[in-house]
Amino acid sequence: MSCTTRDEVLKLAESKLGDLVELTSKLIQIPSENPIGTQRDVVDFVKNYLTSAGISCEEVGCNPDYPCVVAKIGKDDGFSVILNGHVDVVPAGDRNQWDFDPFSGEITDKCILGRGTSDMKAGVAGVLFAMKTLVESGVELNGNIRLHIVSDEESGGQYGSAWLCDNGYAENADACLVAEPTTHSTIEIGQKGKIDLILKSYGKSAHGSLAGHRGENAILKLGKVLENVQMLGEIEGRYGENQKQALINSKIIANQKNGAGAGEVIDHVTANVGIIKGGTRPNMVPDYCEAIVDLRIPLGVTIEEVEEKIKEMIAKSGVEGVEYELGCTMLANYTEIDAPIVEAIKKHAEDLWKEEVLPAYQWASSDAREYREKGIPTIQFGPSNTIGIHSYNETVDIEDVEKSGLIYVLSLCDLMGVK
């Protein structure tokens, strides 16, 4: 079929929505648990799908256990868009907790069932479908669309999106769409940063029967510091004029999803004491204790600012022999609310869903940061049912899958100059 207009491309896409649903189901039926499984079968499936669609692709990467697939359609010059998605999924866990086979890919009247439906094989199916539709349409693209399919997002991304960005695969891109789950009413245009704060307390060992008279309990010392950990939440983000509407949107969404007051997590540092390790035996006064605190950092906050507050927190405890170090550190990142990729997705999502779609900041983080660090305007937008993601009984609505696929096709037409 040869199409010359966006409306003709849309009609072609609409005629093939059943293929999109079936593609999502097939991806679910290929187990790709990370870190306990393998992504080989699902990566081979993606390569075969692209090849069958007439799209040249290549397997790349630095770790054979976590391969990437890259592809490109269009011409070398003009606007350049990257489509990103990961095919690895978190483990299914206890099968007895599932109401259905997590790898059945069963299609019901309203949903597709299985591990990875929302996070994020439905999104991967959507971008694959969009590329295939544009190739089949024969429409002329005034630019190019690049595909980045990775297989290790759930394990940190160092062999996937980070490696692709570090090795030139994202050069000269003008926009990036990460098809991660967002719900249809939200476009994620920014994320908080992350710091792993490691607190270490040193004491003196002694026989446990002499506790309080001999030795120095490192666990109790660190406990006094941790009593003040919420001081870190006093640090507030700083937002420019062009970021304030997205901040308002973000707070509305956080309150709706997590309860009144949850919006504060968007523009304040949050601190979660996630791990505590200390002591050798119950009958020994512990001479060492360590805690790892997960800090999420809003826009405008520097590492130095956080360190000053950490020092203040330790000093307020009044104990000596407590040190800290910073593990993983990532600053918050964002895309301008009026970037072409944001406006294109917002326009077509609102047209299809007949409701307002809010560009907003995310309180967690994802591979989007890798592209934003390269200066590429990057968004997340993908189909999802948030209940079940990283848990049991994960599903995705068929309507969401179909409309996301159409939104991708229409938005790419806009960005590629197809009228």
Side-chain angles (χ1 to χ4, degrees), residues 10-24:
L10 175 60
K11 287 180 182 179
L12 175 62
E14 289 174 331
S15 72
K16 294 182 175 294
L17 288 177
D19 295 344
L20 172 56
V21 174
E22 186 65 28
L23 174 59
T24 304

Side-chain angles (χ1 to χ4, degrees), residues 314-334:
I314 294 172
K316 185 175 180 179
S317 71
V319 299
E320 297 181 353
V322 175
E323 301 174 354
Y324 79 90
E325 65 181 60
L326 304 183
C328 170
T329 57
M330 298 183 296
L331 290 175
N333 53 84
Y334 70 97

Side-chain angles (χ1 to χ4, degrees), residues 75 77-81 142-145 172 174-175 340-341 415-416:
K75 56 186 182 180
D77 57 351
F79 200 87
S80 180
V81 182
N142 186 28
N144 61 77
I145 302 168
N172 302 315
D174 298 296
I341 183 73
L415 297 169
M416 293 292 104

Side-chain angles (χ1 to χ4, degrees), residues 76-359:
D76 290 338
D77 57 351
F79 200 87
S80 180
V81 182
I82 294 172
L83 306 178
N84 172 281
H86 67 85
V87 288
D88 59 323
V89 301
V90 296
D94 182 2
R95 300 297 181 93
N96 293 324
Q97 299 292 323
W98 288 79
D99 294 336
F100 46 81
D101 178 355
F103 299 108
S104 68
E106 180 183 349
I107 301 170
T108 71
D109 290 343
K110 294 184 177 180
C111 296
I112 308 169
L113 313 181
R115 170 59 82 222
T117 42
S118 287
D119 188 13
M120 58 166 290
K121 287 183 175 177
V124 168
V127 297
L128 292 173
F129 169 80
M131 287 191 75
K132 181 179 181 181
T133 299
L134 290 170
V135 168
E136 286 186 355
S137 74
V139 72
E140 182 178 354
L141 304 179
N142 186 28
N144 61 77
I145 302 168
R146 292 184 260 174
L147 182 69
H148 288 182
I149 298 296
V150 300
S151 63
D152 79 323
E153 194 273 346
E154 299 292 359
S155 59
Q158 63 176 320
Y159 303 122
S161 297
W163 186 88
L164 290 171
C165 288
D166 289 342
N167 286 273
Y169 289 92
E171 294 302 313
N172 302 315
D174 298 296
C176 176
L177 164 67
V178 181
E180 285 273 19
T182 57
T183 74
H184 68 264
S185 60
T186 304
I187 302 170
E188 186 275 300
I189 65 169
Q191 300 172 337
K192 294 182 80 173
K194 183 180 186 300
I195 296 176
D196 288 337
L197 168 61
I198 304 166
L199 292 165
K200 299 179 179 182
S201 173
Y202 299 89
K204 294 179 181 179
S205 183
H207 198 287
S209 64
L210 296 173
H213 298 278
R214 297 286 300 275
E216 196 174 293
N217 193 308
I219 294 176
L220 295 180
K221 289 174 65 174
L222 191 56
K224 291 182 179 180
V225 175
L226 294 176
E227 287 177 1
N228 300 314
V229 74
Q230 295 309 319
M231 287 175 60
L232 296 167
E234 298 169 1
I235 304 175
E236 190 171 357
R238 291 179 287 275
Y239 297 80
E241 284 301 316
N242 206 36
Q243 299 169 328
K244 289 183 178 178
Q245 185 57 55
L247 175 61
I248 292 170
N249 296 344
S250 306
K251 290 196 167 193
I252 291 171
I253 293 167
N255 287 331
Q256 288 174 343
K257 289 187 177 182
N258 301 291
E264 292 296 299
V265 305
I266 300 296
D267 59 351
H268 288 77
V269 170
T270 59
N272 178 62
V273 183
I275 297 175
I276 295 179
K277 298 181 289 186
T280 304
R281 291 184 57 80
N283 60 354
M284 295 177 63
V285 175
D287 61 0
Y288 179 76
C289 185
E290 176 180 302
I292 302 178
V293 187
D294 176 83
L295 305 180
R296 300 299 170 123
I297 313 301
L299 291 173
V301 174
T302 65
I303 303 298
E304 292 75 18
E305 190 175 353
V306 175
E307 286 200 79
E308 285 303 311
K309 185 63 73 170
I310 293 169
K311 293 173 184 176
E312 183 182 337
M313 175 186 73
I314 294 172
K316 185 175 180 179
S317 71
V319 299
E320 297 181 353
V322 175
E323 301 174 354
Y324 79 90
E325 65 181 60
L326 304 183
C328 170
T329 57
M330 298 183 296
L331 290 175
N333 53 84
Y334 70 97
T335 292
E336 295 291 353
I337 197 169
D338 56 357
I341 183 73
V342 179
E343 293 185 335
I345 293 288
K346 179 176 171 63
K347 171 190 172 187
H348 294 296
E350 291 182 338
D351 284 348
L352 286 176
W353 284 104
K354 307 303 180 187
E355 62 181 84
E356 186 177 18
V357 176
L358 299 178

